[in-house]
């Protein structure tokens, strides 16, 4: 005899399953490999040699070779079997678990989930059901789904991934900055195009000079770095960068100070780097002291002098006299030697013996490097004698005047 409790349980179960049972016409293709594919059979009148054509639940048409398919079941047949088992199932943990296992094998995902959830209503600590539903057991909070665990850790779901609120805020700011950067590039292109116009030139120049938005820095820096642009336009962009908060376009300014062909622009870039603090530029200039191009070596020394980089004393000493090799094409069969190039003690400048190429070795005394050392250390002058400079440097170790920390 059914009690009121049993009737209520059966009614609740029926209501919960009503939305899960789909009577739409479809088939289940059981594969010989053990897999299964569900979809609408498009060629039920196929010849024995034809492939099975079907459209899956995502609307994609699929072709299965005949030997792949072991059996075709109508979805209605699977549902009928399920309903028969459901009618006989006892309202117990064991009953729901057995039917959940059957649903797993039959591919009834939603129905299986329903029975697993019903098990937890009867036994909240049922481990197999918890694990099947994706729960994990955590020391700090007991049974939780991965989503619940991440939420408790303070994460938020953002575009399909778990992020900290700070990361989401940073990503939003970066996105806003990217959009603003694109808009500034578009606007600057228009204004620069109008500079030569008699009617619009003055307004365009005034608009550019009035920029105070840090989001415009990258666009301004790219215009500044392009030597194809007129020098007055480049200098105007540099002036604007100088009115923005420190730290804007630093990498571009460093590269221009080392490589731009315009001396005045290089000097103005160094002045801006000094305003910004120069801590990011000093390591780059130190590395440039070993550049193969002696022009770059000398410009790096000027930069270190302008920035007052006493921490670069040792690299500057090493760069007082630098050695540079130049390869020149020669005539086959020639043999000879060339002298010159100066250096600390003078010496062999180059040698070629029966080769098509000639290697010229040149020792360069770098006035700009010496000038930087003299400026950084007033009253000390050992000219180009590296050894004396090194001895002096060792004697100064521990002095508050110098910063001997390693320059990266």
């Amino acid at each position: 005899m059914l009690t009121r409790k049993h009737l209520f349980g059966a009614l609740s179960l029926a209501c919960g399953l009503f939305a899960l049972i789909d009577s739409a016409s479809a088939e289940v293709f059981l594969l010989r490999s053990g897999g299964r594919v569900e979809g609408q059979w498009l060629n039920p009148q196929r010849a024995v040699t034809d492939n099975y054509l079907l459209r899956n639940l995502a609307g994609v048409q699929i072709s299965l070779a005949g030997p792949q398919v072991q059996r075709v079941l109508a979805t209605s047949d699977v549902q009928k079997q399920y309903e028969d088992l459901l009618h006989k199932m006892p309202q117990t943990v064991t009953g729901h678990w057995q039917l959940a296992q059957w649903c797993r094998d039959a591919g009834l995902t939603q129905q299986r989930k329903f029975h697993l959830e019903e098990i937890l209503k009867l036994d909240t600590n049922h481990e197999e059901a918890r694990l099947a539903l994706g729960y994990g057991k955590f020391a700090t909070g007991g049974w939780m789904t991965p989503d619940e665990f991440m939420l408790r850790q303070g994460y938020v779901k953002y575009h399909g991934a778990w992020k900290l609120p700070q990361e989401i805020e940073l990503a939003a700011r970066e996105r806003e900055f990217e959009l603003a950067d694109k808009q500034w590039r578009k606007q600057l292109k228009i204004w620069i195009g109008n500079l030569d116009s008699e009617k619009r030139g003055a307004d365009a120049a005034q608009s550019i000079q009035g920029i105070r938005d840090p989001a415009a820095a990258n666009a301004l820096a790219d215009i500044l770095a392009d030597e194809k642009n007129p020098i007055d336009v480049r200098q105007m962009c540099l002036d604007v960068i100088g009115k923005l908060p420190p730290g804007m376009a630093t990498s571009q300014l460093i590269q221009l100070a080392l490589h731009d062909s315009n001396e005045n622009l290089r000097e103005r870039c160094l002045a801006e780097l000094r305003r910004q603090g120069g801590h990011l530029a000093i390591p780059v200039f130190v590395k440039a002291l070993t550049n193969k191009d002696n022009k770059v070596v000398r410009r790096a020394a000027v930069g270190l002098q302008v920035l007052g980089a006493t921490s670069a004393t040792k690299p500057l000493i090493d760069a007082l006299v630098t050695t540079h090799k130049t390869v020149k094409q020669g005539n086959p069969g020639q043999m000879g030697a060339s002298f010159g190039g100066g250096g600390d003690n003078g010496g062999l400048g180059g040698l070629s013996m029966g080769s098509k190429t000639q290697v010229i070795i040149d020792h360069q005394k770098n006035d700009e490097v010496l000038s930087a050392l003299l400026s950084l250390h007033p009253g000390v002058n050992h000219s180009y004698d590296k050894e004396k400079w090194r001895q002096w440097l060792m004697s100064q170790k521990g002095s508050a005047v110098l910063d001997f920390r390693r320059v990266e």
Side-chain angles (χ1 to χ4, degrees), residues 98-326:
Q98 290 177 345
L99 192 49
Q101 295 296 86
W102 184 91
C103 289
R104 181 195 64 185
D105 297 337
L108 300 180
T109 305
Q110 292 300 318
Q111 288 86 338
R112 176 176 182 254
K113 182 181 178 183
F114 174 83
H115 288 290
L116 293 172
E117 291 173 345
E118 289 297 309
I119 290 172
L120 296 183
K121 292 178 182 178
L122 299 171
D123 180 3
T124 57
N125 292 316
H126 193 283
E127 185 172 353
E128 291 85 354
R130 288 280 185 185
L131 293 174
L133 286 169
Y135 284 84
K137 197 165 188 178
F138 299 89
T140 55
W143 288 104
M144 287 185 288
T145 64
D147 286 359
E148 289 172 340
F149 176 77
M150 295 302 289
L151 287 171
R152 289 199 182 187
Q153 300 303 308
Y155 286 83
V156 180
K157 206 65 170 289
Y158 180 74
H159 291 175
W162 289 103
K163 302 282 187 180
L164 288 169
Q166 300 92 317
E167 293 179 294
I168 296 174
E169 183 180 356
L170 180 60
R173 288 181 180 177
E174 289 177 351
R175 179 59 179 162
E176 290 177 3
F177 194 88
E178 289 175 2
L179 293 174
D181 176 68
K182 290 180 180 179
Q183 186 61 38
W184 274 117
R185 290 179 187 279
K186 181 179 178 181
Q187 185 61 68
L188 279 165
K189 185 177 181 181
I190 294 172
W191 284 340
I192 290 174
N194 290 337
L195 287 175
D196 293 331
S197 170
E198 293 184 5
K199 295 182 179 179
R200 302 176 182 175
D203 290 340
Q206 185 176 359
S207 297
I208 295 172
Q209 293 166 353
I211 295 174
R212 296 295 182 271
D213 185 357
N218 289 339
L220 289 165
D222 286 346
I223 297 170
L224 169 63
D226 190 350
E227 293 196 46
K228 295 179 182 177
N229 290 321
I231 189 61
D232 57 333
V233 173
R234 300 175 69 200
Q235 290 177 341
M236 184 187 301
C237 291
L238 181 56
D239 288 339
V240 176
I241 290 173
K243 295 173 184 176
L244 298 178
M248 299 289 101
T250 302
S251 60
Q252 290 281 31
L253 294 170
I254 294 171
Q255 293 305 311
L256 290 170
L258 288 172
H259 302 289
D260 198 86
S261 59
N262 188 288
E263 183 178 2
N264 180 56
L265 193 68
R266 292 199 305 270
E267 291 176 355
R268 295 185 63 182
C269 287
L270 285 175
E272 175 57 23
L273 287 170
R274 183 171 56 189
R275 182 185 77 91
Q276 295 186 5
H279 59 285
L280 295 177
I282 290 173
V284 182
F285 288 156
V286 167
K287 185 176 180 180
L289 290 174
T290 61
N291 196 283
K292 293 180 180 180
D293 188 343
N294 202 56
K295 292 195 302 292
V296 176
V297 173
R298 296 183 177 190
R299 292 170 184 174
V302 172
L304 293 169
Q305 178 178 343
V306 169
L307 298 176
T310 55
S311 60
T313 298
K314 184 180 182 301
L316 283 166
I317 292 173
D318 294 338
L320 276 167
V321 180
T322 52
T323 302
H324 303 271
K325 295 180 181 180
T326 305

Side-chain angles (χ1 to χ4, degrees), residues 37 55 57 73 100 129 174 198 203-204 215 223 229 232 254 295 310 329 341 347-348 362 370-371 389 403 405-406:
V37 181
R55 181 177 291 108
L57 300 181
L73 295 176
E174 289 177 351
E198 293 184 5
D203 290 340
I223 297 170
N229 290 321
D232 57 333
I254 294 171
K295 292 195 302 292
T310 55
Q329 295 294 331
L348 185 64
D362 191 16
L370 179 58
S371 176
W389 274 106
D403 178 5
R405 291 173 297 177
R406 182 180 176 188

